[in-house]
């Protein structure tokens, strides 16, 4: 079955081609069905392969498809690596991908670009699968950039809107900044190792000077910063909410943004060797987690809250990677995929019910009208706040525990971020579902629960969120941590936890306590005292305004990058190119003309002058020949 | 008896005549005067040739003088013919007026 | 023999075309160009199968007293470029079907004449012959731009002609200098390429530097490389679309090809000393031209500047003189040729359907013609080197090659990845996306010939991106053999 790994990306590719060429001619249900079935087929094959890999002793299997690029010593085949890590990601991508495909058939039902949507969605699944299956850095890079393309296409899906197009451009270009770092990292690997195939590179990693390994790790991390929206390359993610909600769920929550995590886990040997690089990863992760959480506190667009929440959770995952807790990071990726997809799809359901409204100040009391959505979102919110026994608790706790081992300061920052998470998530929940309805009359009439195609995926995801924690139960409870056992072969340098059981219990209790008290505080604020988000900006205090404006980071980037770039380009064009360079060239022509004008004056037409010139010339010639 | 006049005198006379002729060609505007000066230059050369031919007792010099005289006569004929044509066109023989080949 | 046919056939076809009046000229020219493509495919098959090799090279004496031979032959790189030429010319002719030119017979005859000269450049094995073909290629394009060009064409074409000729003169000086140093052993001077290689290697550093810079200037002007590029944007904008396609698709490859075949092995010492400086100019050009492209409003001018940026990267890769860099350059030459012809066709379509190339005035075309939007996007992605497009293979190898020379230069050169995305996506958004502008005419559907050409190009973009093996199989050994010459 492992040999048939090629089928897994093939099915979505076929779906892409069919929908791409014939989508417009098919009925909507046909188009949607083809797209969903192709992903389902991939999922089934993925499950079978997963079971085979789990059962077998040989964890690492390489399947080569064909020879792609050959240049001297650089040999890059199109080959896939099937091992526990890639299998796990396969399941997440195809499984959650399938649920979101089904959801989209309901959500995008009215849209005229229905088949186009599914074309792009299938293409995305294809590239994401390539990313996690590749056996060398370049195939990973193919998937990496490919998902960037699909992200661009899907964010700008409603292309008649210029603001959405700008957001799509921003996403693609910011991703590309990261990609340049990634590319340079890949080349640095080739220059030092003579190959970019995982097996060959990781085996020799220890023999390369640590400074080089640090450079490689940092360059690769630049790519991760772009793709996984970490400081400073995160501003594209909130803007990406311009795309349809299923896109936000699939790409900007569950899969594409986790590509950076996958890449670091895959390359864990580099980060284990280079402490500097790990430190950088951890610090940036922690800072991002905190920064994004603060911004989320005052956002009023339901999707933006979730977007910043994603950035923050990704920060936590990178924090885990930075302290060497690779399996914890992957565990959190999995649980986050469950509950974040759930939350986004639920938000989509809310937006659908509200007829397109996304501002939570205009919502309220929706739990009566949208019972299933409410219940599932409640589960998701509890999970993300880190309350046991739901999934988010176990993964987050593992991360914080490992962080505490490494640095108490970072643990503190991570905990504050988690505190913020609980607060803003419950704020969102209370403002959306509880209290009185604050929207318009027509919106109130329009409220209805979403169709089954949308609610069933919600329920499935909710179930996964509830039971997902079982994947990685803490060892000090005396239970099996399936996740870390499964991923053990991938991690080259082991880093077992050295915390005592008491410390672990203490940390756990602190985390739970903080979460519950924050929820209570939010309850007091939004339910009891019915605090609402400020109607106008003038009502906010100054520091609130700064947070509401996302710390003016976008404006900052505009000022130091975009405007100077445009200005320099104008200078290059108008001044340097036109006046100086072209001026020199034209100047040479002008000089020639001027000189020849002057020389023309010798042609006086006077015979006397010509004769004199002749005489002078003859005398000169005679003179010189006599001298010789 | 001819040998009693030193050759230097002939050279000097010839040179002076030549220079007068050359300057006249360069500086005078009247076309006929220019022709006359050209004749003067040619005759100065003739004089020199004859003098040296006598000095070296070589008849070649004097034969060459005959050639020069024939060519000079032909050239004057053609030149005066051209001059007549020019006069008919511009009603003057001032060579400074012939400057249509100017830039 | 086949190779002689390859060079002469378009020339004879063009002479024939001069006598054909009226509209038929288009179709006949197209058929001729297809025949030429067929001949080159035959040469490809023979070359790969290593059969009939004697048909693929020619060596006759021409001017014996000066040691000049009519020596032509195919090697991997030359064959790839000949294939590019013969592949693109039918597409170029096809793309002109919907535009009416007056005196079409002359127009198409000139295109075919140029094809003949271009093929000659790529197969010449004698220095003098190379120079002759190099100059010959200039004449048809001069007339094409002058007679059928846009505004201010007389002045701009004249400037282009003089500028390029100026550079070629330097190359001639360099070649003659080398020629004077050939025949050290035999006493007979010759222009044959291997003799010139030997002569070059026998020179000392300062002599080699002289040869390096004189020959390099010619190529630098042709490609063009910063700062010798100022003729290019005006010329590309003024020339008729087919002229621009010929210029950017094929003619500039003469410069890069010359760098590989006629400069690298000739002055290895000078390359080691001055290669970095030349590479520096190329890399500066990449960033400079990309920045300028960002603020362009005329789409044709934008593509022209982006072409300078791409060629800068190709040149930098060649000058790095390692396997990945030079091989990447060969692949990228092919990809860039195909992609840039596609982009210029798109600019042509825009003008034909809407009457303007000004980005500010266009908008919302995607909502009027989705198919055009998709085709445009695919070619654009090839241009920004998305993986699985043809542009990526070359670009990756190129940055790899430059990196091996200097990591910092590679980082700067790599900025093309970001900047290219900026100007390409921004212009795509301005032209295609958004709402239709109020005063805009309806776009309508694409003409059959335009659609066909765009589809063929998109197919090439994807096919060679996913499966570049045939190209690499030709390029890799040829580059390896060439680089060996550098170390003798």
């Amino acid at each position: 079955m492992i040999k048939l790994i090629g089928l897994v990306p093939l099915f979505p590719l076929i779906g892409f081609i069919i929908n791409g060429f014939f989508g417009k001619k098919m009925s909507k249900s046909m188009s949607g069905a083809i797209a969903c079935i192709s992903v389902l087929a991939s999922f089934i094959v993925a499950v079978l392969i997963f079971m085979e890999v789990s059962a077998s002793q040989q964890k690492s299997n390489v399947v080569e498809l064909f020879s792609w690029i050959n240049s001297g010593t650089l040999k890059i085949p199109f080959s896939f690596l099937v091992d526990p890590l890639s299998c796990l990601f396969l399941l997440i991508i195809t499984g959650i991908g399938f649920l979101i495909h089904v959801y989209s058939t309901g959500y995008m039902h009215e849209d005229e670009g229905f088949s186009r949507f599914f074309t792009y969605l299938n293409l995305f699944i294809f590239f994401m699968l390539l990313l996690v299956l590749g056996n060398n850095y370049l195939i990973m890079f193919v998937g990496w950039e490919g998902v960037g393309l699909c992200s661009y296409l899907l964010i700008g899906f409603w292309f008649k809107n210029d603001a959405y197009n700008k957001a799509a451009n921003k996403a693609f270009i910011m991703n590309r900044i990261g990609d340049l770092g990634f590319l340079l990292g890949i080349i640095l690997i080739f220059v030092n190792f003579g190959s970019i195939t995982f097996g060959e590179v990781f085996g020799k990693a220890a023999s390369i000077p640590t400074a080089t390994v640090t450079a490689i790790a940092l360059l690769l991390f630049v790519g991760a910063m772009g793709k996984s929206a970490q400081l400073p390359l995160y501003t594209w993610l909130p803007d990406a909410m311009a795309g349809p909600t299923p896109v936000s769920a699939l790409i900007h929550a569950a899969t594409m943004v986790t590509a950076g995590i996958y890449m670091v886990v895959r390359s864990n040997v580099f980060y284990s060797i280079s402490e500097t690089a790990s430190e950088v990863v951890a610090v940036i992760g922690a800072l991002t987690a905190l920064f994004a959480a603060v911004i989320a506190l005052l956002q009023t667009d339901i999707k933006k809250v979730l977007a910043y929440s994603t950035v923050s959770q990704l920060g936590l995952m990178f924090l885990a990677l930075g302290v060497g807790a690779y399996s914890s990071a992957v565990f959190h990726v999995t649980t986050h995929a469950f509950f974040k997809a759930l939350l986004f799809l639920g938000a989509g359901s809310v937006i659908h019910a509200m007829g397109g409204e996304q501002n939570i100040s205009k919502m309220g009391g929706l739990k009566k009208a949208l019972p299933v959505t409410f219940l599932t979102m409640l589960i998701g919110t509890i999970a993300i706040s880190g309350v046991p026994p739901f999934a988010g608790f176990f993964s987050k706790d593992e991360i914080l525990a490992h962080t505490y081992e490494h640095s108490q300061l970072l643990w503190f920052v991570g905990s504050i971020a988690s505190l913020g998470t609980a607060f803003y998530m419950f704020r969102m929940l209370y403002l959306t579902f509880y209290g009185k309805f604050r929207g318009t009359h027509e919106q109130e009439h329009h409220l209805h629960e979403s169709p089954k195609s949308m609610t069933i995926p919600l329920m499935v995801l909710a179930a996964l969120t509830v039971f997902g924690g079982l994947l990685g139960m803490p060892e000090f409870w005396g239970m099996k941590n399936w996740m870390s056992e499964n991923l053990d072969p991938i991690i080259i340098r082991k880093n077992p936890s050295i915390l005592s059981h008491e410390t672990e219990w203490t940390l756990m209790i602190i985390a739970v306590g903080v979460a519950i008290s924050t929820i209570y505080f939010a309850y007091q604020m939004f339910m009891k005292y019915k605090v609402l988000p400020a109607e106008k900006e003038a009502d906010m205090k100054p520091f609130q305004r700064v947070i509401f404006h996302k710390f003016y980071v976008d404006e900052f980037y505009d000022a130091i990058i975009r405007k100077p770039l445009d200005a320099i380009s104008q200078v290059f064009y108008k001044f340097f190119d036109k006046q100086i360079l072209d001026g020199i060239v034209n100047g040479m022509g002008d000089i020639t003309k001027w000189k020849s004008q002057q020389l023309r004056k010798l042609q006086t037409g006077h015979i006397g002058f010509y004769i004199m010139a002749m005489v002078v010339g003859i005398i000169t010639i005679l003179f010189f020949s006599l001298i010789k | 008896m001819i040998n009693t006049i030193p050759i230097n005198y002939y050279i000097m006379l010839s040179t002076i005549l030549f220079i007068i002729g050359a300057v006249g060609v360069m500086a005078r505007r009247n076309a006929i005067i220019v022709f006359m000066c050209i004749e003067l230059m040619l005759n100065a050369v003739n004089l020199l040739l004859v003098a040296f031919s006598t000095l070296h007792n070589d008849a070649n010099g004097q034969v060459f003088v005959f050639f020069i005289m024939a060519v000079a006569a032909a050239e004057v004929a053609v030149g005066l013919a051209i001059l007549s044509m020019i006069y008919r066109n511009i009603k003057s023989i001032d060579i400074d007026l012939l400057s249509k080949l100017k830039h | 023999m086949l190779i002689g046919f390859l060079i002469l056939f378009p020339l004879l076809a063009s002479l024939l075309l001069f006598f054909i009046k009226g509209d038929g000229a288009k179709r006949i020219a197209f058929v001729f160009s297809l025949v030429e493509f067929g001949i080159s495919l035959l040469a490809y098959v023979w070359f790969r199968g290593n059969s009939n090799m004697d048909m693929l090279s020619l060596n006759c004496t021409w001017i014996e007293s000066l040691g000049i031979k009519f020596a032509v032959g195919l090697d991997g790189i030359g064959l790839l470029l000949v294939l590019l030429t013969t592949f693109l010319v039918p597409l170029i002719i096809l793309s002109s079907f919907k535009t009416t030119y007056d005196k079409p017979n002359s127009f198409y005859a000139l295109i075919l004449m140029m094809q003949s000269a271009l093929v000659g450049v790529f197969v010449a094995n004698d220095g003098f012959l190379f120079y002759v073909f190099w100059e010959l290629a200039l004449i048809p394009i001069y007339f094409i731009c002058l007679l059928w060009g846009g505004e201010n064409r007389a002045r701009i074409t004249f400037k282009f002609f003089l500028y390029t000729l100026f550079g070629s003169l330097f190359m001639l000086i360099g070649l003659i200098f080398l020629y004077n140093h050939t025949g050290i052993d035999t006493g007979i001077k010759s222009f044959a390429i291997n003799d010139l290689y030997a002569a070059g290697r026998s020179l000392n550093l300062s002599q080699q530097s002289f040869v390096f810079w004189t020959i390099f200037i010619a190529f630098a002007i042709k490609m063009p490389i910063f700062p010798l590029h100022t003729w290019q944007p005006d010329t590309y904008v003024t020339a008729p679309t087919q002229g621009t396609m010929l210029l950017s698709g094929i003619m500039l490859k003469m410069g890069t090809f010359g760098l590989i075949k006629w400069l690298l092995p000739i002055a290895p010492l000078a390359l080691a000393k001055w290669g970095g400086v030349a590479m520096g100019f190329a890399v500066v050009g990449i960033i400079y031209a990309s920045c300028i492209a960002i603020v362009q409003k005329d789409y044709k001018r934008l593509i022209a500047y982006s072409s300078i940026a791409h060629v800068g990267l190709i040149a930098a890769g060649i000058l790095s003189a390692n396997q990945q860099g030079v091989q990447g350059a060969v692949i990228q030459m092919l990809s860039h040729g195909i992609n840039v012809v596609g982009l210029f066709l798109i600019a042509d379509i825009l003008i034909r359907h809407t009457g303007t190339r000004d980005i500010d005035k266009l908008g919302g075309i995607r909502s009027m013609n989705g198919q055009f939007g998709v085709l445009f996007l695919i070619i654009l992605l090839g241009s920004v080197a998305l993986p699985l497009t043809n542009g990526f293979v070359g670009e990756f190898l190129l940055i790899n090659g430059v990196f091996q020379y200097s990591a910092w230069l590679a980082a700067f050169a790599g900025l093309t990845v970001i900047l290219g995305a900026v100007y390409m996506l921004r212009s795509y958004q301005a032209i295609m996306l958004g709402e239709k502008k109020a005063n805009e005419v309806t776009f309508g559907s694409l003409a059959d010939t335009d659609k066909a050409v765009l589809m063929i190009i998109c197919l090439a973009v994807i096919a060679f991106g996913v499966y570049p093996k045939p190209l690499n199989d030709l390029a890799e050994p040829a580059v390896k053999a060439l680089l060996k010459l550098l170390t003798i």
Side-chain angles (χ1 to χ4, degrees), chain A residues 370-392:
Chain A
L370 310 169
V372 178
T373 308
F374 165 66
L375 193 58
T376 50
M377 282 199 78
L378 177 64
I379 294 177
T381 312
I382 297 179
I384 196 175
S385 308
V387 175
F390 292 163

Side-chain angles (χ1 to χ4, degrees), chain C residues 2 23 31 91 104 106-107 116-117 119 127 130 204 227 345-346 351 357 388 403-404 445 456:
Chain C
L2 187 74
D23 235 17
V31 169
L91 289 179
S106 315
F107 184 70
S116 170
V119 171
F130 175 74
N204 65 35
L345 177 58
I346 288 174
I351 268 241
R357 283 191 312 252
L388 292 191
F403 192 93
Q404 290 174 37
S445 53
I456 295 178

